[in-house]
Amino acid sequence: MNPSARAVPLLLAALLPLSACGIPETGVVEAGEPATGVLDPGVTSVPSESAPEAVPLVKIPLYFVEDGSLVAVDRTVPGSTDLGSTLLMLFKGPDDKERRSGLTTELPPAAEAPTIRTDGTGVSVRLPRSAGSLSGTAVDQLACTVAVARLRQDPALGSAQVTVEQPGGRLAGRSSDDCPLGAAPLRNAPAPGTGTSGGASADGAGD
């Protein structure tokens, strides 16, 4: 018999078991999805989130004392600050840099924020009992800080009137028009509670 004729039955015998097992004779079986990108050498993953936005810096007005006169200071802090947080910052006193420049404070430290109410151009500040009795200069520090901070919140107001209520019901007032805008003393303004004409101070019941 011709050798080639004998090879045909052998080839068919070899292919029959493969067909019986379900293995396809031809074609390519695909699995999964194709790759969508190539990473640079040394990079193991691709960030899925964008970088966080930077927190804006804002200037907070604080009033301290230099040689017995009221001085305005802009302290730069990240993010916005409400009136209560601004006053807590004021009660903590000048920072190291401000003290080195000669600034002091007559306000005592306070861990509790005063109660603040706003009504248009008017702002009422009620001090906690822990604040004790404040000097006229200390009241000026507090009232001017609140008045100028209020105007920065809403410049359209034009001016702000601040009333400070101390423990015992003592009242004192200050207008933003009487507060220095820079490193300068108050413009001939009397200390709150003196009752002198031309000032913005007032005495209340309880004295």
Side-chain angles (χ1 to χ4, degrees):
M1 180 181 292
N2 192 326
S4 60
R6 289 197 303 268
V8 172
L10 294 175
L11 179 59
L12 293 175
L15 293 176
L16 284 175
L18 296 176
S19 299
C21 294
I23 299 177
E25 299 178 10
T26 59
V28 178
V29 178
E30 297 184 358
E33 297 184 0
T36 57
V38 178
L39 297 177
D40 293 333
V43 178
T44 57
S45 63
V46 178
S48 58
E49 298 181 358
S50 59
E53 296 183 0
V55 177
L57 298 177
V58 296
K59 291 184 177 181
I60 304 300
L62 302 175
Y63 280 79
F64 295 119
V65 181
E66 183 180 27
D67 296 331
S69 299
L70 213 61
V71 174
V73 174
D74 275 335
R75 187 180 293 179
T76 303
V77 298
S80 60
T81 302
D82 58 21
L83 295 179
S85 299
T86 298
L87 280 188
L88 280 179
M89 198 180 305
L90 176 71
F91 272 99
K92 289 182 180 179
D95 59 22
D96 292 340
K97 181 179 179 181
E98 292 160 352
R99 288 187 183 279
R100 288 194 298 268
S101 67
L103 298 181
T104 60
T105 182
E106 292 196 12
L107 285 166
E112 182 182 356
T115 301
I116 301 175
R117 294 182 176 87
T118 59
D119 182 12
T121 61
V123 184
S124 173
V125 180
R126 184 176 183 180
L127 298 177
R129 291 190 176 277
S130 58
S133 180
L134 303 183
S135 68
T137 299
V139 171
D140 285 349
Q141 286 183 248
L142 189 154
C144 284
T145 295
V146 172
V148 176
R150 177 65 177 143
L151 288 181
R152 292 195 182 182
Q153 285 183 340
D154 191 353
L157 293 175
S159 64
Q161 307 292 326
V162 178
T163 301
V164 179
E165 181 180 350
Q166 302 184 66
R170 294 184 300 277
L171 298 177
R174 175 65 65 196
S175 168
S176 59
D177 295 334
D178 297 320
C179 299
L181 299 179
L186 287 169
R187 299 171 301 164
N188 300 323
T194 60
T196 305
S197 60
S201 54
D203 293 332
D207 288 338

